[in-house]
Amino acid sequence: MNACTWARAAISDTERGWRIGVADPAAGMELLRKAERDGHGGEKMFSVPRSADIPAPKETIDKVLAKATFRSDNKLAAARIKANLDILKREAGITDAEIVKVPGLYTRDDERGNLSGSRELRRMGPDTLRRFSQLGGDESRADGHAERGATRQAAVSRKSAYIPGAVNGVLLSPTRYLAPQRWGPVIGGRDIFTEAVNSVYAKAGFTTSYIDDWYTYHIGMGEVPCGTNTLRDATAPWWPTA
């Protein structure tokens, strides 16, 4: 799990001059559990439509919550995020008031194939896909032997975003944030993850916009920053307040 998949620094009107957005798997799980308690367990987990050559995910909220591996993945992700956040608090002096907790969900890499029936980015082409997995790396060398078996082992142990990671976006301005389209469960005509993300970022002073990166980056273990960035004016001295 890379830092960008669970945390994002953002300019803010605080004494420090910035806040940190942190993924919150417990909040993500509670959104699903509340939906189930309210009788919506049969709704699709993902509202993303299918692409021209990749089917849309079919799992329901009930099915997702019934998976012991999914529950344990998010429990482990929460523990690891907390451990790293504790380091930031200790070393940088970050306080709870400077932390924006954003609902998110995680899964082990070897289960991501369930998201769309494909572990690879189709745009890479069939020949490349057979040789190279975007999620696991090059599984074989030219001689046909896996390199010390390290690649496959590493792929199984990593965690990545199950629903597109809202903290893995791009800061456009001190008040505007660009996040990957949520594509979460739609209940009562509203995406419950979009509603939750809008709410937490609004409390921190941000208006959130969304861009769809599901088939281009998300299913390949990436998000918006993998193909987007912003140009910033760096002419003014920044170091006096660093």
Side-chain angles (χ1 to χ4, degrees):
M1 184 188 294
N2 295 326
C4 63
T5 64
W6 67 270
R8 175 72 56 184
I11 299 170
S12 184
D13 185 19
T14 64
E15 183 177 349
R16 189 183 299 276
W18 53 273
R19 297 176 186 266
I20 184 168
V22 177
D24 187 351
M29 292 294 289
E30 178 54 27
L31 283 175
L32 296 185
R33 289 181 177 125
K34 182 180 186 305
E36 188 178 52
R37 290 195 302 269
D38 291 345
H40 302 294
E43 297 290 344
K44 287 184 179 180
M45 174 65 216
F46 298 107
S47 51
V48 62
R50 66 165 293 140
S51 74
D53 61 343
I54 305 177
K58 297 179 180 179
E59 55 262 44
T60 64
I61 295 173
D62 282 341
K63 183 178 179 181
V64 170
L65 288 176
K67 287 184 180 180
T69 53
F70 181 76
R71 297 193 302 272
S72 64
D73 283 349
N74 281 279
K75 184 176 181 179
L76 178 59
R80 289 182 174 175
I81 289 171
K82 181 182 182 303
N84 282 281
L85 193 54
D86 286 344
I87 293 173
L88 287 175
K89 287 181 175 180
R90 183 177 68 248
E91 299 297 332
I94 293 171
T95 66
D96 288 337
E98 297 172 304
I99 298 170
V100 181
K101 291 191 174 182
V102 185
L105 292 170
Y106 292 87
T107 185
R108 65 188 68 191
D109 286 351
D110 57 333
E111 295 219 344
R112 285 179 63 89
N114 294 332
L115 300 185
S116 64
S118 173
R119 286 169 55 90
E120 298 87 8
L121 295 177
R122 298 286 181 173
R123 61 186 172 82
M124 297 175 70
D127 293 336
T128 302
L129 291 182
R130 280 193 291 269
R131 182 183 64 82
F132 187 89
S133 163
Q134 184 75 6
L135 299 182
D138 193 347
E139 293 186 353
S140 63
R141 301 180 315 209
D143 60 9
H145 294 88
E147 181 122 22
R148 300 180 184 176
T151 300
R152 295 190 184 213
Q153 274 190 332
V156 172
S157 63
R158 290 196 300 257
K159 299 286 185 294
S160 50
Y162 183 61
I163 193 166
V167 296
N168 201 357
V170 177
L171 184 66
L172 300 177
S173 79
T175 59
R176 294 293 303 273
Y177 181 70
L178 180 66
Q181 182 73 38
R182 314 307 303 124
W183 293 125
V186 174
I187 296 174
R190 296 176 180 270
D191 183 321
I192 61 174
F193 276 84
T194 298
E195 293 279 294
V197 169
N198 285 345
S199 177
V200 295
Y201 275 127
K203 290 176 183 176
F206 291 95
T207 298
T208 308
S209 300
Y210 296 91
I211 184 170
D212 180 12
D213 72 351
W214 183 280
Y215 292 108
T216 51
Y217 290 102
H218 176 66
I219 63 172
M221 211 174 75
E223 299 293 4
V224 176
C226 297
T228 339
N229 217 324
T230 53
L231 299 177
R232 305 191 187 280
D233 181 0
T235 57
W238 55 266
W239 49 92
T241 57

